[in-house]
Amino acid sequence: MSKHDLLQEFYDTVWSGGDSHAIRKFFAPGAEASGLVGEMSLDAEDMIAFVDSLSMHVVNIEFELLHVLEDGDWVSSMARATGTSRRSGKPLQMTGQTLVRLEGGLIAEAHNHFDMMGLFVQLGLLPDDVGERLLAGLRAT
């Protein structure tokens, strides 16, 4: 299986398939993911909680890998995630990037950057003009 295929299988199983506990089969022992929640690094159990928490807000999640680069043990991707707001039923979209190092076909480390603020705006959890407010030095809400 290519690194690209492994990454797609991760998204298909964990996010689209709703099987957060499958993270354990994709993560190597001691693996961590960064860039999803502030400066925190998430191990497999933390990732399960993260996926479960986000899934309380978003359903019908699909990931499309738009660009993928492989180099040695590393795979990098630009992805688009789509879904539906559980509360409003409105469609959602977010883009992001990952940089993943694999060991023995498992994720050993993952560095992420997804537009979480944009997602929370679409979910109605942040105001539409949050970016402008923050740039003006105002509080988000």
Side-chain angles (χ1 to χ4, degrees):
M1 174 184 304
S2 74
K3 294 170 188 68
H4 173 275
D5 291 338
L6 179 79
L7 200 54
Q8 188 66 60
E9 183 181 346
F10 172 80
Y11 288 126
D12 290 347
T13 302
V14 171
W15 289 100
S16 302
D19 186 3
S20 63
H21 292 274
I23 289 169
R24 293 183 187 115
K25 87 173 193 176
F26 287 98
F27 271 34
E32 292 189 338
S34 66
L36 293 169
V37 181
E39 298 297 319
M40 291 174 49
S41 289
L42 308 179
D43 64 16
E45 299 308 309
D46 296 330
M47 273 296 296
I48 291 168
F50 176 78
V51 169
D52 290 346
S53 294
L54 200 55
S55 295
M56 290 183 339
H57 300 282
V58 182
V59 295
N60 306 319
I61 301 169
E62 297 291 333
F63 272 84
E64 177 186 5
L65 298 180
L66 303 172
H67 301 285
V68 179
L69 297 171
E70 297 182 18
D71 184 22
D73 294 335
W74 292 90
V75 59
S76 178
S77 71
M78 173 177 257
R80 177 178 26 242
T82 58
T84 306
S85 168
R86 187 179 294 273
R87 184 173 46 170
S88 72
K90 292 181 180 177
L92 305 167
Q93 179 176 293
M94 143 176 104
T95 57
Q97 296 178 315
T98 60
L99 178 62
V100 176
R101 185 175 61 82
L102 301 173
E103 274 181 9
L106 298 174
I107 296 170
E109 60 182 296
H111 305 278
N112 301 276
H113 179 74
F114 281 88
D115 182 14
M116 299 301 289
M117 187 167 75
L119 177 64
F120 290 130
V121 168
Q122 292 175 71
L123 287 167
L125 299 172
L126 288 172
D128 290 344
D129 65 346
V130 67
E132 292 88 344
R133 287 176 185 236
L134 295 173
L135 287 170
L138 303 172
R139 296 182 60 82
T141 56

